[in-house]
Amino acid sequence: MKQQTKTHFLIRSLFVAFLVAMSLTSYAQEADSDSTVNVIGWFCKHDTIVYSQREQVFAGMGNDTTMVSDITRRYHIAVIDSTAKGFLMEYCPLSIEFSDSTGSENEIKLFMARRLQGVVIRFSTDEMGSVKQIENYKEVRDAVYSKCDSMVNEIYAANPLLYGKISKPDMLKTIHKRLEDTYGSKQRLLEKMDALALLFSNHGRYFELGEHESNDGDTQSYVVVKRGKDEADDETATDDDYQIANRVQVSQSGGKATDIMIITKYFSDGWPRYVYFSNEESQSQHFQISFIEIEWESRAWE
């Protein structure tokens, strides 16, 4: 899999800004199919697709660069129900790996993440395939807290000396506070699920074929839309596949700059087959670069 990176705290705010800029070149009305691409999910009940997602974050100053994190996830997304108003779908985590888990912080994150593998998130979309909301939020939240409490109990049972360093109630309080950042509300959980944001962000939008550029003050946006399969695609690609590449560059006061790139390739029925996301945030000599790369592994449909 190609290299990629991710900056967790930037995705939420920057992705919103990205979509605003991207809307300058998207269309919300019917258009000539020969000159536009309409991103619609022609999903069917029981459709299932497995994705592999690698996330990396690098930070640095000048010529010095340090890897902050490197995480690989596998999960599947399945259509549970299909109606005229939209789709009910499930996100099911399959595995998670940290490339370097020698640090105590990464060990805790990895341990917690593996305990949460059985927690399935159910979400709904509109008729185009654009994500609307989490449908089983309370169930997910209760399961996460229960599993983490059980994990802490096991840790203290196996390591009694921990009581001399931090009490179990204080440890639980610390972990619950950390969990609140992701599971504190239905909307917060949805915002933290960058996989859904990247896979389904274009659904319900119309794009003109070709290359387009716009400049709005300190923000420049570029969109490249193509129909058909790439030369590098394998036998699963068809001439009805398409891809959308978006780039947004923002210059702010104080020398701060942001450069976001998202490339999404789709099967002809609207299922994403590949997503590349990069974000570079720089100011003076300091910078942080994030990459996410999502690739489909297998799919099943009736």
Side-chain angles (χ1 to χ4, degrees), residues 43-51 75-80 89-90 92 94 271 296-302:
F43 309 144
C44 296
K45 189 175 181 179
H46 305 308
D47 276 1
T48 301
I49 188 164
V50 175
Y51 290 105
Y75 50 88
H76 81 242
I77 295 178
V79 179
I80 305 305
M89 307 175 76
E90 284 186 345
C92 180
L94 300 176
W271 276 107
W296 80 286
E297 288 188 2
S298 63
R299 58 180 293 185
W301 63 95
E302 292 188 350

Side-chain angles (χ1 to χ4, degrees), residues 71-73 93-101 106-119 147-148 151 183:
I71 305 171
T72 300
R73 310 173 192 268
L94 300 176
S95 64
I96 183 169
E97 295 293 337
F98 288 68
S99 67
D100 180 8
S101 59
N106 273 348
E107 288 286 2
I108 293 173
K109 287 181 179 179
L110 181 58
F111 192 37
M112 289 177 62
R114 285 179 173 167
R115 290 297 294 267
L116 302 179
Q117 288 303 296
V119 180
K147 284 176 174 285
C148 285
M151 177 192 73
Y183 300 96

Side-chain angles (χ1 to χ4, degrees), residues 24 59 72 116 133 142 223 236 268-269:
L24 295 173
T72 300
L116 302 179
Q133 64 179 4
D142 291 349
V223 179
T236 62
S268 58
D269 58 5

Side-chain angles (χ1 to χ4, degrees), residues 65 81 189:
T65 303
D81 197 10
L189 175 58

